[in-house]
Amino acid sequence: MSVMNPLELLPHRYPFLLLDRIDEVRPGHHALGSKLVTGSEWSTIGMRADMTSASPRRAMPHMLIVESLAQLTAAVLVGLMEDGGDAIGYFMGIDRSRFRGEARPGDVLALRVDLLQFRRGICRTRGIAMIDGRRIVQADLTTVLRPAPRPAPKS
């Protein structure tokens, strides 16, 4: 699959949608996406506690970058449910995380998620966020897929 709109895949909307586009998807293998960090987002407004007001350095928090990777995971999981029905993914955990650098306003995060393992609805992925070829965040994510609830029949 090629470009996919995150609004069609995820229930998230502003300000909780942390993925601008999904550039490439191979369901069951990997997904590539991107996120433009802007200075007007709620997560970058203000300044870090260790900076003076004369020179604020705003940066996207690392855990929100991890959330961007978790949202991109949904693209990898499309169609993996055995019955072929709709499913809901629940982000359950993070392991082996590495944070090396900041994503500041104006930076474009290049996101990649690779499927490591999928068994019985439990999914393990490895996510990497990069800026200009530099790895900023890397983490192994655990997601649980459950069938979407079906509406009760009307009587």
Side-chain angles (χ1 to χ4, degrees):
M1 254 189 237
S2 57
V3 178
M4 182 184 287
N5 185 351
L7 292 171
E8 295 173 3
L9 180 65
L10 299 168
H12 303 68
R13 297 296 179 258
Y14 178 83
F16 302 109
L17 182 64
L18 299 173
L19 188 60
D20 291 336
R21 50 183 286 150
I22 301 171
D23 300 312
E24 179 184 329
V25 178
R26 279 194 57 210
H29 294 280
H30 74 268
L32 304 174
S34 61
K35 166 73 176 136
L36 172 64
V37 181
T38 66
S40 62
E41 294 179 54
W42 64 271
S43 62
T44 57
I45 294 175
M47 60 185 168
R48 291 181 19 186
D50 62 341
M51 293 290 146
T52 65
S53 59
S55 65
R57 286 181 48 186
R58 301 176 299 176
M60 184 175 183
H62 288 123
M63 289 311 296
L64 292 182
I65 297 173
V66 171
E67 174 63 23
S68 295
L69 293 167
Q71 291 179 13
L72 184 59
T73 297
V76 176
L77 301 179
V78 170
L80 289 184
M81 286 299 285
E82 293 171 4
D83 62 1
D86 289 336
I88 297 175
Y90 299 96
F91 176 53
M92 298 298 290
I94 176 174
D95 294 308
R96 296 177 192 79
S97 57
R98 299 287 179 264
F99 306 114
R100 307 180 192 279
E102 295 180 327
R104 296 191 190 120
D107 289 337
V108 177
L109 286 167
L111 307 168
R112 181 181 177 104
V113 173
D114 292 295
L115 182 65
L116 301 176
Q117 182 181 43
F118 183 76
R119 275 193 207 137
R120 297 182 187 160
I122 298 174
C123 167
R124 303 271 307 163
T125 56
R126 174 161 296 137
I128 298 171
M130 298 173 63
I131 298 173
D132 296 329
R134 279 185 311 119
R135 191 174 294 193
I136 301 297
V137 173
Q138 177 177 325
D140 289 352
L141 309 172
T142 303
T143 305
V144 175
L145 274 183
R146 295 292 179 245
R150 295 196 171 100
K154 295 184 180 182
S155 26

